[in-house]
Amino acid sequence: MRSAVRRRGGVATLVAVAVAAAAITVLPVQAIDAEAAVPDAAGCTITDATVTWGFKESFRSYISGSIAKGAWEPFGGVGYETPVFTWTGGAGSFDPGSGTGTIAFPGGIRFSGHGGLLDTTVQNATVEIAPGSGRVLVDLVGVSMDSALAGDRTAVTSPRVPLVTLDLAGMSVDAADGGGMITLTATDAATAITAEGFEAFGNYETGTPFDPLTFTASGSCAAPTVTATPAAPTGSPATAETPAPRGQESSGGGSPAPVIAAVAVALVAVVGGTTAAVVATRRAREGSRSAGGPDA
């Protein structure tokens, strides 16, 4: 009776070990792969910018000519040296990833003529940058000729008028290694008055070329932030594995070799122990029979 119990106990142990081995599954490990870290684009702060622009040569000639007998007065940091005005102290931002940015300049120019009947101020210029193109926005303050002739000298302000378009196809962007300093340069970029510019400024039809514009801008870029990318799992769930053909080992996934080896050793130990127990029981029984004792 005891030998039967021992046999059943040995078989039960084998079954338990086999079930435990079958239940072993290696779950995927979500590790952070340092080499796969992706830098996010960082914006740049423009701290120094300069624009040189003649505005429109024919308009300057008209103002200073014998008809209008007028003049222009740069102010707020804008200078003039024939044949261009110079804006300095520009500041703003630029995003190298999208190629967009804005740079604002203080100061402006006041044009006057016809004994005060013509009085227009162009101020607070902003250069808008986009891939291959751009615009110059200004605040326009002035009295229309019709209003002045009627005796109304009330100045009208038109803020942030997109006065002219910019051809920035030739603009260069030079960034120092490591994302430090950045320099933008556009030389003799073509300009043309917009529909909004014609509406607010008058004098020239939409699309009429204005003088070419040159600007340089420099600044610093923030250090790029790093977004960690999860590495590929080191193992796959058991349900996602494709069983290997019989007699062949799987090339990837599944249980690690140390675990498999440990299970194999456990199985060998259990089988060996069970076999030894069975042999000992049989010998004991045979000895009892030869001695005339009852069968165990």
PDB file of all heavy atoms in Angstrom, residues 179-212:
ATOM      1  N   GLY A 179      23.844  73.330 -31.369  1.00  0.00           N
ATOM      2  CA  GLY A 179      22.620  74.092 -31.152  1.00  0.00           C
ATOM      3  C   GLY A 179      22.816  75.349 -30.349  1.00  0.00           C
ATOM      4  O   GLY A 179      21.909  75.766 -29.619  1.00  0.00           O
ATOM      5  N   GLY A 180      23.990  75.999 -30.446  1.00  0.00           N
ATOM      6  CA  GLY A 180      24.255  77.216 -29.689  1.00  0.00           C
ATOM      7  C   GLY A 180      23.761  78.456 -30.398  1.00  0.00           C
ATOM      8  O   GLY A 180      22.598  78.819 -30.346  1.00  0.00           O
ATOM      9  N   MET A 181      24.661  79.136 -31.105  1.00  0.00           N
ATOM     10  CA  MET A 181      24.321  80.375 -31.791  1.00  0.00           C
ATOM     11  C   MET A 181      23.714  80.095 -33.163  1.00  0.00           C
ATOM     12  O   MET A 181      23.957  79.052 -33.763  1.00  0.00           O
ATOM     13  CB  MET A 181      25.571  81.236 -31.955  1.00  0.00           C
ATOM     14  CG  MET A 181      26.250  81.594 -30.641  1.00  0.00           C
ATOM     15  SD  MET A 181      25.146  82.514 -29.527  1.00  0.00           S
ATOM     16  CE  MET A 181      24.921  84.037 -30.479  1.00  0.00           C
ATOM     17  N   ILE A 182      22.916  81.055 -33.633  1.00  0.00           N
ATOM     18  CA  ILE A 182      22.298  80.937 -34.951  1.00  0.00           C
ATOM     19  C   ILE A 182      22.340  82.298 -35.635  1.00  0.00           C
ATOM     20  O   ILE A 182      22.236  83.341 -34.979  1.00  0.00           O
ATOM     21  CB  ILE A 182      20.847  80.432 -34.848  1.00  0.00           C
ATOM     22  CG1 ILE A 182      20.306  80.059 -36.230  1.00  0.00           C
ATOM     23  CG2 ILE A 182      19.937  81.455 -34.171  1.00  0.00           C
ATOM     24  CD1 ILE A 182      18.992  79.318 -36.196  1.00  0.00           C
ATOM     25  N   THR A 183      22.531  82.291 -36.956  1.00  0.00           N
ATOM     26  CA  THR A 183      22.568  83.528 -37.737  1.00  0.00           C
ATOM     27  C   THR A 183      21.706  83.361 -38.976  1.00  0.00           C
ATOM     28  O   THR A 183      21.821  82.374 -39.704  1.00  0.00           O
ATOM     29  CB  THR A 183      24.004  83.878 -38.165  1.00  0.00           C
ATOM     30  OG1 THR A 183      24.828  84.011 -36.998  1.00  0.00           O
ATOM     31  CG2 THR A 183      24.034  85.178 -38.953  1.00  0.00           C
ATOM     32  N   LEU A 184      20.839  84.338 -39.203  1.00  0.00           N
ATOM     33  CA  LEU A 184      19.990  84.373 -40.400  1.00  0.00           C
ATOM     34  C   LEU A 184      20.461  85.523 -41.275  1.00  0.00           C
ATOM     35  O   LEU A 184      20.732  86.624 -40.786  1.00  0.00           O
ATOM     36  CB  LEU A 184      18.521  84.586 -40.029  1.00  0.00           C
ATOM     37  CG  LEU A 184      17.931  83.751 -38.891  1.00  0.00           C
ATOM     38  CD1 LEU A 184      16.480  84.146 -38.654  1.00  0.00           C
ATOM     39  CD2 LEU A 184      18.035  82.273 -39.222  1.00  0.00           C
ATOM     40  N   THR A 185      20.519  85.280 -42.581  1.00  0.00           N
ATOM     41  CA  THR A 185      20.954  86.329 -43.504  1.00  0.00           C
ATOM     42  C   THR A 185      20.127  86.270 -44.777  1.00  0.00           C
ATOM     43  O   THR A 185      19.978  85.206 -45.387  1.00  0.00           O
ATOM     44  CB  THR A 185      22.440  86.159 -43.877  1.00  0.00           C
ATOM     45  OG1 THR A 185      23.233  86.139 -42.692  1.00  0.00           O
ATOM     46  CG2 THR A 185      22.900  87.309 -44.766  1.00  0.00           C
ATOM     47  N   ALA A 186      19.598  87.425 -45.172  1.00  0.00           N
ATOM     48  CA  ALA A 186      18.903  87.553 -46.456  1.00  0.00           C
ATOM     49  C   ALA A 186      19.436  88.811 -47.118  1.00  0.00           C
ATOM     50  O   ALA A 186      19.421  89.895 -46.522  1.00  0.00           O
ATOM     51  CB  ALA A 186      17.394  87.644 -46.261  1.00  0.00           C
ATOM     52  N   THR A 187      19.913  88.669 -48.343  1.00  0.00           N
ATOM     53  CA  THR A 187      20.530  89.789 -49.053  1.00  0.00           C
ATOM     54  C   THR A 187      19.709  90.163 -50.279  1.00  0.00           C
ATOM     55  O   THR A 187      19.421  89.314 -51.123  1.00  0.00           O
ATOM     56  CB  THR A 187      21.961  89.431 -49.484  1.00  0.00           C
ATOM     57  OG1 THR A 187      22.720  89.052 -48.323  1.00  0.00           O
ATOM     58  CG2 THR A 187      22.640  90.611 -50.162  1.00  0.00           C
ATOM     59  N   ASP A 188      19.348  91.449 -50.352  1.00  0.00           N
ATOM     60  CA  ASP A 188      18.592  91.977 -51.503  1.00  0.00           C
ATOM     61  C   ASP A 188      17.359  91.131 -51.808  1.00  0.00           C
ATOM     62  O   ASP A 188      17.095  90.760 -52.964  1.00  0.00           O
ATOM     63  CB  ASP A 188      19.493  92.066 -52.738  1.00  0.00           C
ATOM     64  CG  ASP A 188      20.572  93.129 -52.590  1.00  0.00           C
ATOM     65  OD1 ASP A 188      20.361  94.078 -51.808  1.00  0.00           O
ATOM     66  OD2 ASP A 188      21.629  93.007 -53.247  1.00  0.00           O
ATOM     67  N   ALA A 189      16.592  90.832 -50.770  1.00  0.00           N
ATOM     68  CA  ALA A 189      15.346  90.088 -50.968  1.00  0.00           C
ATOM     69  C   ALA A 189      14.321  90.992 -51.653  1.00  0.00           C
ATOM     70  O   ALA A 189      14.087  92.127 -51.238  1.00  0.00           O
ATOM     71  CB  ALA A 189      14.807  89.614 -49.627  1.00  0.00           C
ATOM     72  N   ALA A 190      13.707  90.470 -52.704  1.00  0.00           N
ATOM     73  CA  ALA A 190      12.720  91.242 -53.461  1.00  0.00           C
ATOM     74  C   ALA A 190      11.480  91.492 -52.602  1.00  0.00           C
ATOM     75  O   ALA A 190      11.056  90.636 -51.820  1.00  0.00           O
ATOM     76  CB  ALA A 190      12.342  90.495 -54.726  1.00  0.00           C
ATOM     77  N   THR A 191      10.897  92.690 -52.733  1.00  0.00           N
ATOM     78  CA  THR A 191       9.675  93.048 -52.016  1.00  0.00           C
ATOM     79  C   THR A 191       8.642  93.582 -52.998  1.00  0.00           C
ATOM     80  O   THR A 191       8.980  94.088 -54.075  1.00  0.00           O
ATOM     81  CB  THR A 191       9.959  94.116 -50.942  1.00  0.00           C
ATOM     82  OG1 THR A 191      10.307  95.346 -51.592  1.00  0.00           O
ATOM     83  CG2 THR A 191      11.081  93.688 -50.004  1.00  0.00           C
ATOM     84  N   ALA A 192       7.361  93.473 -52.606  1.00  0.00           N
ATOM     85  CA  ALA A 192       6.264  93.995 -53.438  1.00  0.00           C
ATOM     86  C   ALA A 192       5.101  94.326 -52.521  1.00  0.00           C
ATOM     87  O   ALA A 192       4.835  93.600 -51.550  1.00  0.00           O
ATOM     88  CB  ALA A 192       5.851  92.976 -54.493  1.00  0.00           C
ATOM     89  N   ILE A 193       4.408  95.400 -52.818  1.00  0.00           N
ATOM     90  CA  ILE A 193       3.314  95.833 -51.962  1.00  0.00           C
ATOM     91  C   ILE A 193       2.147  94.847 -52.040  1.00  0.00           C
ATOM     92  O   ILE A 193       1.855  94.280 -53.094  1.00  0.00           O
ATOM     93  CB  ILE A 193       2.862  97.266 -52.329  1.00  0.00           C
ATOM     94  CG1 ILE A 193       1.947  97.831 -51.230  1.00  0.00           C
ATOM     95  CG2 ILE A 193       2.174  97.290 -53.689  1.00  0.00           C
ATOM     96  CD1 ILE A 193       1.687  99.329 -51.367  1.00  0.00           C
ATOM     97  N   THR A 194       1.506  94.610 -50.903  1.00  0.00           N
ATOM     98  CA  THR A 194       0.382  93.683 -50.813  1.00  0.00           C
ATOM     99  C   THR A 194      -0.936  94.419 -51.042  1.00  0.00           C
ATOM    100  O   THR A 194      -0.984  95.656 -51.095  1.00  0.00           O
ATOM    101  CB  THR A 194       0.335  93.025 -49.429  1.00  0.00           C
ATOM    102  OG1 THR A 194       0.068  94.048 -48.450  1.00  0.00           O
ATOM    103  CG2 THR A 194       1.661  92.354 -49.101  1.00  0.00           C
ATOM    104  N   ALA A 195      -2.014  93.644 -51.117  1.00  0.00           N
ATOM    105  CA  ALA A 195      -3.340  94.253 -51.246  1.00  0.00           C
ATOM    106  C   ALA A 195      -3.666  95.074 -50.001  1.00  0.00           C
ATOM    107  O   ALA A 195      -4.239  96.177 -50.089  1.00  0.00           O
ATOM    108  CB  ALA A 195      -4.385  93.162 -51.463  1.00  0.00           C
ATOM    109  N   GLU A 196      -3.288  94.557 -48.819  1.00  0.00           N
ATOM    110  CA  GLU A 196      -3.519  95.295 -47.583  1.00  0.00           C
ATOM    111  C   GLU A 196      -2.662  96.559 -47.535  1.00  0.00           C
ATOM    112  O   GLU A 196      -3.113  97.604 -47.038  1.00  0.00           O
ATOM    113  CB  GLU A 196      -3.195  94.414 -46.369  1.00  0.00           C
ATOM    114  CG  GLU A 196      -4.044  93.164 -46.223  1.00  0.00           C
ATOM    115  CD  GLU A 196      -3.447  91.963 -46.924  1.00  0.00           C
ATOM    116  OE1 GLU A 196      -2.632  92.137 -47.850  1.00  0.00           O
ATOM    117  OE2 GLU A 196      -3.788  90.837 -46.532  1.00  0.00           O
ATOM    118  N   GLY A 197      -1.431  96.447 -48.077  1.00  0.00           N
ATOM    119  CA  GLY A 197      -0.564  97.618 -48.120  1.00  0.00           C
ATOM    120  C   GLY A 197      -1.129  98.708 -49.021  1.00  0.00           C
ATOM    121  O   GLY A 197      -1.091  99.900 -48.677  1.00  0.00           O
ATOM    122  N   PHE A 198      -1.651  98.306 -50.166  1.00  0.00           N
ATOM    123  CA  PHE A 198      -2.248  99.280 -51.081  1.00  0.00           C
ATOM    124  C   PHE A 198      -3.460  99.953 -50.440  1.00  0.00           C
ATOM    125  O   PHE A 198      -3.647 101.179 -50.558  1.00  0.00           O
ATOM    126  CB  PHE A 198      -2.657  98.589 -52.386  1.00  0.00           C
ATOM    127  CG  PHE A 198      -3.523  99.434 -53.263  1.00  0.00           C
ATOM    128  CD1 PHE A 198      -3.017 100.550 -53.903  1.00  0.00           C
ATOM    129  CD2 PHE A 198      -4.869  99.130 -53.431  1.00  0.00           C
ATOM    130  CE1 PHE A 198      -3.822 101.361 -54.710  1.00  0.00           C
ATOM    131  CE2 PHE A 198      -5.676  99.919 -54.227  1.00  0.00           C
ATOM    132  CZ  PHE A 198      -5.159 101.040 -54.869  1.00  0.00           C
ATOM    133  N   GLU A 199      -4.266  99.160 -49.724  1.00  0.00           N
ATOM    134  CA  GLU A 199      -5.465  99.706 -49.089  1.00  0.00           C
ATOM    135  C   GLU A 199      -5.110 100.766 -48.040  1.00  0.00           C
ATOM    136  O   GLU A 199      -5.778 101.798 -47.927  1.00  0.00           O
ATOM    137  CB  GLU A 199      -6.257  98.560 -48.443  1.00  0.00           C
ATOM    138  CG  GLU A 199      -7.557  98.977 -47.799  1.00  0.00           C
ATOM    139  CD  GLU A 199      -8.605  99.423 -48.807  1.00  0.00           C
ATOM    140  OE1 GLU A 199      -8.524  99.006 -49.973  1.00  0.00           O
ATOM    141  OE2 GLU A 199      -9.508 100.204 -48.406  1.00  0.00           O
ATOM    142  N   ALA A 200      -4.043 100.505 -47.264  1.00  0.00           N
ATOM    143  CA  ALA A 200      -3.689 101.415 -46.175  1.00  0.00           C
ATOM    144  C   ALA A 200      -2.762 102.542 -46.605  1.00  0.00           C
ATOM    145  O   ALA A 200      -2.869 103.672 -46.109  1.00  0.00           O
ATOM    146  CB  ALA A 200      -3.049 100.621 -45.037  1.00  0.00           C
ATOM    147  N   PHE A 201      -1.840 102.250 -47.526  1.00  0.00           N
ATOM    148  CA  PHE A 201      -0.818 103.223 -47.914  1.00  0.00           C
ATOM    149  C   PHE A 201      -1.186 103.997 -49.173  1.00  0.00           C
ATOM    150  O   PHE A 201      -0.836 105.175 -49.334  1.00  0.00           O
ATOM    151  CB  PHE A 201       0.511 102.498 -48.112  1.00  0.00           C
ATOM    152  CG  PHE A 201       1.671 103.401 -48.404  1.00  0.00           C
ATOM    153  CD1 PHE A 201       2.161 104.267 -47.429  1.00  0.00           C
ATOM    154  CD2 PHE A 201       2.281 103.387 -49.650  1.00  0.00           C
ATOM    155  CE1 PHE A 201       3.244 105.103 -47.696  1.00  0.00           C
ATOM    156  CE2 PHE A 201       3.364 104.215 -49.922  1.00  0.00           C
ATOM    157  CZ  PHE A 201       3.846 105.072 -48.948  1.00  0.00           C
ATOM    158  N   GLY A 202      -1.896 103.324 -50.082  1.00  0.00           N
ATOM    159  CA  GLY A 202      -2.258 103.966 -51.343  1.00  0.00           C
ATOM    160  C   GLY A 202      -1.039 104.127 -52.242  1.00  0.00           C
ATOM    161  O   GLY A 202      -0.016 103.458 -52.083  1.00  0.00           O
ATOM    162  N   ASN A 203      -1.148 104.990 -53.201  1.00  0.00           N
ATOM    163  CA  ASN A 203      -0.056 105.398 -54.094  1.00  0.00           C
ATOM    164  C   ASN A 203       0.383 104.322 -55.098  1.00  0.00           C
ATOM    165  O   ASN A 203       0.701 104.651 -56.242  1.00  0.00           O
ATOM    166  CB  ASN A 203       1.187 105.852 -53.303  1.00  0.00           C
ATOM    167  CG  ASN A 203       0.879 106.977 -52.330  1.00  0.00           C
ATOM    168  OD1 ASN A 203       0.273 107.990 -52.691  1.00  0.00           O
ATOM    169  ND2 ASN A 203       1.280 106.799 -51.077  1.00  0.00           N
ATOM    170  N   TYR A 204       0.424 103.044 -54.701  1.00  0.00           N
ATOM    171  CA  TYR A 204       0.950 102.005 -55.589  1.00  0.00           C
ATOM    172  C   TYR A 204       0.003 100.802 -55.613  1.00  0.00           C
ATOM    173  O   TYR A 204      -0.490 100.358 -54.564  1.00  0.00           O
ATOM    174  CB  TYR A 204       2.344 101.561 -55.127  1.00  0.00           C
ATOM    175  CG  TYR A 204       3.327 102.701 -55.066  1.00  0.00           C
ATOM    176  CD1 TYR A 204       3.622 103.327 -53.853  1.00  0.00           C
ATOM    177  CD2 TYR A 204       3.935 103.177 -56.231  1.00  0.00           C
ATOM    178  CE1 TYR A 204       4.508 104.392 -53.807  1.00  0.00           C
ATOM    179  CE2 TYR A 204       4.826 104.246 -56.186  1.00  0.00           C
ATOM    180  CZ  TYR A 204       5.102 104.844 -54.969  1.00  0.00           C
ATOM    181  OH  TYR A 204       5.974 105.920 -54.917  1.00  0.00           O
ATOM    182  N   GLU A 205      -0.210 100.274 -56.817  1.00  0.00           N
ATOM    183  CA  GLU A 205      -1.099  99.131 -56.984  1.00  0.00           C
ATOM    184  C   GLU A 205      -0.492  97.874 -56.372  1.00  0.00           C
ATOM    185  O   GLU A 205       0.729  97.745 -56.233  1.00  0.00           O
ATOM    186  CB  GLU A 205      -1.375  98.888 -58.477  1.00  0.00           C
ATOM    187  CG  GLU A 205      -2.124 100.022 -59.179  1.00  0.00           C
ATOM    188  CD  GLU A 205      -3.576 100.118 -58.713  1.00  0.00           C
ATOM    189  OE1 GLU A 205      -4.111  99.090 -58.227  1.00  0.00           O
ATOM    190  OE2 GLU A 205      -4.157 101.205 -58.819  1.00  0.00           O
ATOM    191  N   THR A 206      -1.358  96.935 -56.016  1.00  0.00           N
ATOM    192  CA  THR A 206      -0.919  95.648 -55.462  1.00  0.00           C
ATOM    193  C   THR A 206       0.066  94.958 -56.405  1.00  0.00           C
ATOM    194  O   THR A 206      -0.158  94.880 -57.608  1.00  0.00           O
ATOM    195  CB  THR A 206      -2.130  94.722 -55.246  1.00  0.00           C
ATOM    196  OG1 THR A 206      -3.056  95.362 -54.353  1.00  0.00           O
ATOM    197  CG2 THR A 206      -1.693  93.378 -54.670  1.00  0.00           C
ATOM    198  N   GLY A 207       1.164  94.483 -55.842  1.00  0.00           N
ATOM    199  CA  GLY A 207       2.182  93.795 -56.635  1.00  0.00           C
ATOM    200  C   GLY A 207       3.286  94.703 -57.150  1.00  0.00           C
ATOM    201  O   GLY A 207       4.272  94.209 -57.709  1.00  0.00           O
ATOM    202  N   THR A 208       3.159  96.008 -56.943  1.00  0.00           N
ATOM    203  CA  THR A 208       4.210  96.928 -57.386  1.00  0.00           C
ATOM    204  C   THR A 208       5.486  96.676 -56.584  1.00  0.00           C
ATOM    205  O   THR A 208       5.449  96.632 -55.354  1.00  0.00           O
ATOM    206  CB  THR A 208       3.775  98.386 -57.193  1.00  0.00           C
ATOM    207  OG1 THR A 208       2.594  98.633 -57.957  1.00  0.00           O
ATOM    208  CG2 THR A 208       4.868  99.344 -57.636  1.00  0.00           C
ATOM    209  N   PRO A 209       6.628  96.493 -57.250  1.00  0.00           N
ATOM    210  CA  PRO A 209       7.874  96.229 -56.514  1.00  0.00           C
ATOM    211  C   PRO A 209       8.290  97.432 -55.663  1.00  0.00           C
ATOM    212  O   PRO A 209       8.175  98.586 -56.092  1.00  0.00           O
ATOM    213  CB  PRO A 209       8.900  95.954 -57.619  1.00  0.00           C
ATOM    214  CG  PRO A 209       8.092  95.573 -58.817  1.00  0.00           C
ATOM    215  CD  PRO A 209       6.818  96.369 -58.709  1.00  0.00           C
ATOM    216  N   PHE A 210       8.747  97.152 -54.453  1.00  0.00           N
ATOM    217  CA  PHE A 210       9.415  98.136 -53.620  1.00  0.00           C
ATOM    218  C   PHE A 210      10.912  97.799 -53.647  1.00  0.00           C
ATOM    219  O   PHE A 210      11.339  96.877 -54.345  1.00  0.00           O
ATOM    220  CB  PHE A 210       8.857  98.103 -52.195  1.00  0.00           C
ATOM    221  CG  PHE A 210       7.654  98.995 -51.998  1.00  0.00           C
ATOM    222  CD1 PHE A 210       6.639  99.063 -52.942  1.00  0.00           C
ATOM    223  CD2 PHE A 210       7.533  99.780 -50.860  1.00  0.00           C
ATOM    224  CE1 PHE A 210       5.533  99.884 -52.764  1.00  0.00           C
ATOM    225  CE2 PHE A 210       6.439 100.609 -50.667  1.00  0.00           C
ATOM    226  CZ  PHE A 210       5.436 100.667 -51.616  1.00  0.00           C
ATOM    227  N   ASP A 211      11.710  98.546 -52.910  1.00  0.00           N
ATOM    228  CA  ASP A 211      13.155  98.311 -52.945  1.00  0.00           C
ATOM    229  C   ASP A 211      13.507  96.960 -52.313  1.00  0.00           C
ATOM    230  O   ASP A 211      12.804  96.476 -51.413  1.00  0.00           O
ATOM    231  CB  ASP A 211      13.884  99.430 -52.204  1.00  0.00           C
ATOM    232  CG  ASP A 211      13.856 100.748 -52.963  1.00  0.00           C
ATOM    233  OD1 ASP A 211      13.265 100.784 -54.065  1.00  0.00           O
ATOM    234  OD2 ASP A 211      14.407 101.739 -52.435  1.00  0.00           O
ATOM    235  N   PRO A 212      14.605  96.345 -52.761  1.00  0.00           N
ATOM    236  CA  PRO A 212      15.063  95.111 -52.122  1.00  0.00           C
ATOM    237  C   PRO A 212      15.462  95.367 -50.673  1.00  0.00           C
ATOM    238  O   PRO A 212      15.882  96.479 -50.318  1.00  0.00           O
ATOM    239  CB  PRO A 212      16.274  94.674 -52.953  1.00  0.00           C
ATOM    240  CG  PRO A 212      16.399  95.642 -54.055  1.00  0.00           C
ATOM    241  CD  PRO A 212      15.442  96.753 -53.874  1.00  0.00           C
TER     242      PRO A 212
END
